[in-house]
Amino acid sequence: MKIGWKRWSVLPGFGLAMGYTLTYLSLLVLIPLAGTFLKSATLTWPEFWETITSPRALASYRVTFGTSLVAALLNAVSGLLVAWVLTRYRFFGRRFVDALVDLPFALPTAVAGIALTAIYAPTGWVGKLVPFKVAFTPLGITIALVFIGVPFVVRTVQPVLEDIEPELEQVAASLGANRWQTFTRVVMPAVWPAVLTGFALSFARAVGEYGSVIFIAGNMPMRTEITPLLIVTQLEQYNYAGATSLAVAMLVVSFGMLLTINALQWWGTRRHLA
Amino acid sequence: MTPQQIAERATTEPRWIRWTLIALALAFLALFVGLPLAAVFVSALSKGWAVYFAAITEPVAWAAIKLTLLTAAIAVPLNLVFGVAAAWAIAKFEFRGKQVLITLIDLPFSVSPVVSGLIYVLIFGLQGWLGPWLQDHDITIIFAVPGIVLATVFVTFPFVARELIPLMIAQGTEEEEAALTLGASGWQTFWRVTVPNIKWGLLYGVILCNARAMGEFGAVSVVSGHIRGLTNTMTLHVEILYNEYQTAAAFAVASLLTLLALVTLAAKSAVEWRVRQQLKAARHSHDEDLLT
Amino acid sequence: MKISVQNLTKPFGAFTALNDINLEVRSGELLALLGPSGCGKTTLLRILSGLEFADTGHILFDGEDATTQNVRARKVGFVFQHYALFRHMTVFENIAFGLRVRRTGRPSRRDIHARVEELLKLVKLETLASRFPSQLSGGQRQRVALARALAVEPRVLLLDEPFGALDAKVRQELRRWLRRLHDEVHITSVFVTHDQEEALEVADRVVVMNKGQIEQVGTPEEVYHHPASPFVCDFLGNVNLFECRIHYGQAYVHDVPFELHNAPPQDAQHAYVYVRPHQLDIQRELGGPNSLPASVRLVNTAGAQVDVELLTEWGQIVHARISHDRHRAVRPQVGQTLFIATKEMKVFHA
């Protein structure tokens, strides 16, 4: 009846539910992931290292991380703006706009990819208006990554903004703060962890993104080739070792970002509780 | 200025700033979200309705639609059952390592779709761990429907669980305990007390899970092998048409997926409100807890 | 039904929630488990119900061992602190739940209907049968929870802080109502409370608990007037505490002698005198032994009695509660030095 790691409870079904959870999780997620790491262990270290530091791979990291960083920064700023407008102001169509924010979650990435390409290609609606090239350049990749990152910052910041009691801002005003001081000293400290979390989430998503990017990127090696595409290319050339090495490198980065995001969220809730 | 205006000035911005901010936010969303949405439908109909209907009714398109529906019909129920089991174990019991388990369940969200597909290739593919054995037994998983289902299950893995866990933690265990003291069995308690309390959260998770299952591209692309009429899902079909410069046809099929996304958003908005009410009700009774 | 608890011990990790508890609950009585939060009273109640299990010890229901019986087999009615009403069911469905889930001997639809109607009448909620819990006031929810627990005809009724989440006025009405209800149905009942007034007013007997142990069991009169320990004395109402020394049957509080009646305790250098505010009197003149000087700091006449706060010469604050008649006779003024006197007191060794 007493197991050391679990507190006894009168509710039934723990064994069944836990057993099922762990089995399913192991079979579908943990074992396949572990298998990838094991596969990479069949390579020698120089082989592995050479693959993940080849000029083409390094160029793909620069494209991937560079565009992701710029897109996430843009999302942080505009996401905060959108969240603010949606929580603080009442205007016609607000609920519709609010629902629309989630479109990038719901729209298949391939659809987003071809739609963005159609718009920003030299003959597209926007592409023909601007004097420089957008699609098939890093700028195009950034635009695709901004699109898929829109909901992350908005949806992490929105509930925090909703939770700030109006009294807090009224007190600040009654103490003589002007609107800008109230915003920077009362509102921003409260939403800061959420903005950072949203930034990290949208960055993490952007780094791994594939579908929306490959159509608009042009996929020129060394210039507009992202790491996930490089993995696919290796795979199509039956270079399993190369694909595995790059995948392991990406997994390590993803897990690092997951831990960072968890730490950020923990920090955010802790500050929220205090 | 009236006193009310003075009070408003203290806690909101001047009208011109308000409208500037609203305009900026709307312009951003219009450019990045609205424009692509419009582009899908305009491009889909650019060659007229005839081409549009031909594109979505040709046999290969139909095969892709059926495969997509089949994949979702397998992946969603699997992850639904898993989500409920995981949430029951995590939310209703106290045990060590709970946080680690939650993180592990979230893991698939942080893996690049391409890598999500690749991990199954490395296990079930010809070069993979089980490749030779599978070949001996004439079982194909990669470049076949099972692989597509597996990859889809992986990328949609956390949706239901992560919706239910916070909801069920907030609801606590008292109602289930009450049911047990009244003589209900474990299953009676689950079906009559727990399930009605989480039904909106469940539906919400299913909606999101389904949208991703039908729309997944990267992971499925790696395991599919792109065999027309056999292992092409709708998103893969869109890609092929697009690469073959059949732009209008590509957008026609894409418009179906876009409609699905719009329906998802509408359903999500409708259900979201209910979920929030349930969560609020649960949190509210907890607040009363803290007061005493 | 009679319940015997024998040598019950329940640790939670390093913390001992219950330490060797022995207790008899008499058939048909209304028993209160009273103590501060964390004293183990709720744990004891949950162990009685089968929602938790003790590590050692036994529980007997009418002499029959129920220690390992699970919650369904025990047939107890449990009223949760926050009622735990099924929020997706109406009041009617909540009350009917226990009857509907029965595997064997499930009553017919009509019988269930009749039984629920009867219970609704008992708890005076006939008109609210089709409401949902969220549409009820706290007091109404409490009564639904009670009716739901009674519906299955439990052998024992267990209530966890039954009035804890209610505001003061509803609380008082409801506890009198519970007392009357108990006199009607006469089911063996145990309730947990941290409110001494509630325990003293409602219960037949009170079990005072502290730090996982039972300090005293007795009728409200017994525990209030004859507290067995300093804790009980302190917990049941306000009390003034004086350090003293005991010598030849007299207690010396800062060298002022106080006579001790009934069974004077042994001599001791360190002991404590406990006196309740209403046991203190205020006098204008020094009244021989049992009386010491103090200056008036505060007088509050807004109430059924007059509260006077005084400061002794050695700087201790003393609370006295006197009648309005007495107040008119003595007329204490703030700053004035008067004498506080007592006849009743309780002495405990340090």
Side-chain angles (χ1 to χ4, degrees):
Chain A
M1 182 188 307
K2 237 190 105 179
I3 316 165
W5 57 282
K6 177 190 166 271
R7 185 138 142 220
W8 187 86
S9 165
V10 70
L11 297 185
F14 179 76
L16 180 68
M18 194 57 152
Y20 184 75
T21 300
L22 290 179
T23 311
Y24 190 79
L25 179 71
S26 305
L27 283 179
L28 280 157
V29 177
L30 301 183
I31 293 173
L33 282 175
T36 307
F37 281 93
L38 282 177
K39 192 85 187 172
S40 75
T42 60
L43 303 171
T44 64
W45 178 254
E47 263 182 302
F48 175 75
W49 189 250
E50 222 162 274
T51 315
I52 65 166
T53 58
S54 71
R56 194 169 166 189
L58 288 178
S60 82
Y61 305 149
R62 265 196 302 279
V63 174
T64 302
F65 287 94
T67 51
S68 297
L69 187 68
V70 174
L73 281 172
L74 230 122
N75 275 332
V77 176
S78 48
L80 177 62
L81 170 71
V82 171
W84 177 268
V85 166
L86 286 177
T87 48
R88 293 309 171 97
Y89 306 143
R90 295 291 166 265
F91 53 91
F92 178 75
R94 189 181 65 91
R95 275 184 57 93
F96 172 76
V97 173
D98 192 53
L100 203 63
V101 166
D102 282 326
L103 184 75
F105 274 157
L107 192 70
T109 53
V111 176
I114 61 170
L116 288 168
T117 313
I119 296 167
Y120 292 97
T123 54
W125 294 345
V126 177
K128 72 181 163 203
L129 296 181
V130 292
F132 47 86
K133 236 177 114 180
V134 180
F136 319 125
T137 70
L139 179 61
I141 301 177
T142 310
I143 285 174
L145 296 179
V146 170
F147 170 82
I148 54 134
V150 168
F152 288 99
V153 180
V154 179
R155 292 298 182 234
T156 40
V157 171
Q158 213 172 5
V160 180
L161 275 178
E162 272 167 9
D163 271 5
I164 297 178
E165 304 108 35
E167 284 86 351
L168 224 57
E169 287 167 68
Q170 284 164 8
V171 164
S174 78
L175 294 170
N178 67 30
R179 198 56 198 142
W180 179 248
Q181 286 169 322
T182 307
F183 178 74
T184 52
R185 302 196 183 194
V186 178
V187 179
M188 266 322 277
V191 298
W192 185 234
V195 174
L196 214 55
T197 306
F199 167 79
L201 284 170
S202 103
F203 180 71
R205 170 73 200 263
V207 166
E209 180 56 22
Y210 178 72
S212 61
V213 174
I214 53 157
F215 296 98
I216 203 173
N219 306 329
M220 271 174 299
M222 309 300 291
R223 286 201 46 225
T224 57
E225 184 179 56
I226 54 167
T227 314
L229 180 73
L230 187 56
I231 295 177
V232 173
T233 312
Q234 303 288 319
L235 209 56
E236 279 169 358
Q237 295 167 356
Y238 302 104
N239 181 1
Y240 286 89
T244 310
S245 307
L246 288 167
V248 164
M250 282 206 78
L251 280 175
V252 169
V253 172
S254 315
F255 294 161
M257 284 188 295
L258 180 68
L259 290 181
T260 312
I261 290 164
N262 275 2
L264 280 173
Q265 269 165 344
W266 178 79
W267 178 53
T269 45
R270 233 174 56 116
R271 277 175 51 124
H272 207 59
L273 288 176
Chain B
M1 259 193 302
T2 66
Q4 202 204 334
Q5 278 172 321
I6 296 172
E8 258 178 30
R9 263 189 72 156
T11 52
T12 186
E13 293 73 39
R15 180 183 282 263
W16 69 272
I17 291 189
R18 262 188 340 229
W19 285 109
T20 310
L21 293 178
I22 292 176
L24 276 174
L26 292 184
F28 170 78
L29 288 176
L31 185 66
F32 280 96
V33 183
L35 213 51
L37 193 58
V40 171
F41 292 104
V42 172
S43 309
L45 295 170
S46 61
K47 298 250 168 80
W49 287 96
V51 175
Y52 182 88
F53 281 116
I56 59 175
T57 50
E58 66 165 319
V60 187
W62 259 113
I65 292 171
K66 273 192 249 166
L67 180 57
T68 295
L69 292 176
L70 173 73
T71 308
I74 299 172
V76 174
L78 279 176
N79 283 337
L80 170 68
V81 173
F82 161 75
V84 173
W88 178 264
I90 287 170
K92 302 286 180 184
F93 298 88
E94 286 308 318
F95 58 90
R96 249 186 270 170
K98 187 186 275 196
Q99 214 46 53
V100 177
L101 184 59
I102 294 177
T103 307
L104 287 179
I105 289 174
D106 267 349
L107 213 54
F109 274 167
S110 62
V111 175
S112 169
V114 167
V115 179
S116 310
L118 176 68
I119 59 174
Y120 290 111
V121 174
L122 293 180
I123 291 197
F124 300 112
L126 272 182
Q127 309 283 318
W129 293 106
L130 300 178
W133 186 86
L134 290 172
Q135 200 177 20
D136 290 348
H137 292 79
D138 238 0
I139 304 169
T140 36
I141 291 181
I142 297 306
F143 305 145
V145 175
I148 292 173
V149 172
L150 272 176
T152 305
V153 168
F154 183 93
V155 294
T156 57
F157 190 86
F159 278 107
V160 177
R162 66 159 26 196
E163 261 334 295
L164 290 185
I165 290 168
L167 179 65
M168 282 166 73
I169 286 178
Q171 286 177 343
T173 56
E174 267 202 355
E175 284 184 49
E176 281 81 8
E177 286 179 356
L180 291 175
T181 65
L182 293 168
S185 69
W187 282 113
Q188 282 176 322
T189 304
F190 176 74
W191 285 111
R192 291 175 180 235
V193 176
T194 310
V195 171
N197 271 336
I198 60 171
K199 62 177 181 225
W200 293 110
L202 209 62
L203 185 58
Y204 189 78
V206 166
I207 291 171
L208 296 182
C209 186
N210 180 62
R212 181 73 193 268
M214 293 195 174
E216 179 51 29
F217 174 69
V220 170
S221 155
V222 171
V223 294
S224 130
H226 305 271
I227 307 162
R228 268 197 193 199
L230 280 179
T231 62
N232 260 359
T233 61
M234 287 172 80
T235 54
L236 298 176
H237 188 59
V238 167
E239 184 198 19
I240 288 179
L241 290 173
Y242 188 81
N243 287 342
E244 288 174 349
Y245 301 102
Q246 303 190 40
T247 314
F251 276 104
V253 179
S255 75
L256 293 183
L257 288 164
T258 310
L259 284 176
L260 170 76
L262 292 177
V263 170
T264 300
L265 286 189
K268 186 171 159 299
S269 302
V271 172
E272 200 159 39
W273 184 80
R274 302 276 196 161
V275 178
R276 285 200 187 171
Q277 292 310 104
Q278 269 189 344
L279 202 61
K280 219 184 271 172
R283 296 244 162 93
H284 184 67
S285 62
H286 263 239
D287 289 346
E288 282 174 2
D289 234 82
L290 296 173
L291 286 177
T292 53
Chain C
M1 192 185 60
K2 190 180 84 176
I3 307 173
S4 315
V5 176
Q6 298 169 349
N7 311 100
L8 212 64
T9 296
K10 172 80 180 174
F12 279 123
F15 169 74
T16 305
L18 292 175
N19 189 4
D20 197 22
I21 298 287
N22 286 285
L23 180 67
E24 293 278 319
V25 185
R26 294 171 192 162
S27 188
E29 79 172 335
L30 180 53
L31 184 81
L33 299 177
L34 173 68
S37 59
C39 73
K41 55 192 194 297
T42 297
T43 307
L44 178 55
L45 193 77
R46 288 173 67 89
I47 291 176
L48 288 179
S49 72
L51 288 170
E52 304 264 358
F53 285 87
D55 279 27
T56 54
H58 289 276
I59 294 169
L60 307 181
F61 280 14
D62 266 343
E64 196 183 308
D65 195 346
T67 314
T68 56
Q69 246 178 3
N70 72 25
V71 59
R72 294 175 72 195
R74 281 200 201 183
K75 295 206 169 104
V76 296
F78 198 98
V79 177
F80 289 79
Q81 186 176 2
H82 299 291
Y83 327 127
L85 296 180
F86 305 129
R87 55 199 117 190
H88 61 286
M89 293 182 200
T90 61
V91 168
F92 187 96
E93 286 303 319
N94 262 284
I95 298 173
F97 182 87
L99 302 171
R100 290 208 203 282
V101 296
R102 243 180 229 176
R103 283 281 170 76
T104 51
R106 183 187 305 157
S108 68
R109 256 167 189 285
R110 192 192 282 166
D111 288 347
I112 290 177
H113 202 88
R115 175 85 182 122
V116 175
E117 291 289 335
E118 184 190 320
L119 282 159
L120 281 168
K121 205 171 283 172
L122 184 72
V123 298
K124 302 196 169 51
L125 290 171
E126 301 99 309
T127 54
L128 302 180
S130 55
R131 296 264 185 105
F132 284 92
S134 58
Q135 301 167 310
L136 301 178
S137 71
Q140 289 166 341
R141 286 181 207 177
Q142 172 63 60
R143 283 181 283 160
V144 176
L146 203 60
R148 184 178 70 176
L150 289 172
V152 293
E153 286 168 348
R155 301 192 284 177
V156 196
L157 188 60
L158 304 170
L159 307 100
D160 186 8
E161 294 277 5
F163 315 112
L166 302 170
D167 58 55
K169 198 165 153 23
V170 181
R171 217 173 158 125
Q172 222 162 32
E173 282 170 18
L174 210 59
R175 71 192 190 210
R176 289 189 185 140
W177 173 80
L178 178 71
R179 180 67 243 184
R180 283 199 305 273
L181 184 81
H182 184 263
D183 292 341
E184 267 177 59
V185 282
H186 257 297
I187 174 174
T188 308
S189 306
V190 180
F191 75 99
V192 153
T193 178
H194 64 272
D195 181 342
Q196 32 97 9
E197 233 177 87
E198 197 169 287
L200 298 179
E201 187 181 318
V202 177
D204 292 319
R205 288 195 308 147
V206 178
V207 177
V208 186
M209 294 184 64
N210 184 33
K211 293 182 181 159
Q213 279 171 318
I214 291 179
E215 294 269 342
Q216 189 176 3
V217 183
T219 63
E221 291 72 27
E222 279 164 4
V223 293
Y224 188 78
H225 291 293
H226 307 286
S229 68
F231 175 83
V232 176
C233 192
D234 198 20
F235 196 75
L236 295 179
N238 296 324
V239 71
N240 294 296
L241 183 141
F242 299 98
E243 244 179 275
C244 71
R245 139 178 95 78
I246 315 260
H247 192 59
Y248 286 114
Q250 295 224 332
Y252 291 87
V253 176
H254 282 259
D255 292 331
V256 179
F258 281 78
E259 267 171 38
L260 297 174
H261 305 279
N262 43 26
Q266 289 180 321
D267 283 10
Q269 276 302 314
H270 278 291
Y272 292 101
V273 172
Y274 287 77
V275 192
R276 296 203 185 281
H278 72 263
Q279 293 170 326
L280 286 174
D281 186 27
I282 299 177
Q283 301 169 338
R284 288 192 155 262
E285 316 281 328
L286 182 66
N290 299 9
S291 144
L292 44 87
S295 62
V296 179
R297 296 222 320 176
L298 271 177
V299 181
N300 179 11
T301 57
Q305 286 179 304
V306 180
D307 288 317
V308 185
E309 193 180 293
L310 306 106
L311 193 67
T312 63
E313 285 167 338
W314 62 89
Q316 185 182 350
I317 291 171
V318 179
H319 295 276
R321 175 169 277 193
I322 58 175
S323 67
H324 281 280
D325 284 347
R326 190 73 196 138
H327 175 252
R328 270 191 290 276
V330 183
R331 302 215 146 272
Q333 304 288 323
V334 173
Q336 195 180 15
T337 299
L338 295 171
F339 296 92
I340 45 181
T342 181
K343 288 214 175 73
E344 288 175 76
M345 53 166 59
K346 191 88 192 164
V347 175
F348 292 104
H349 288 281

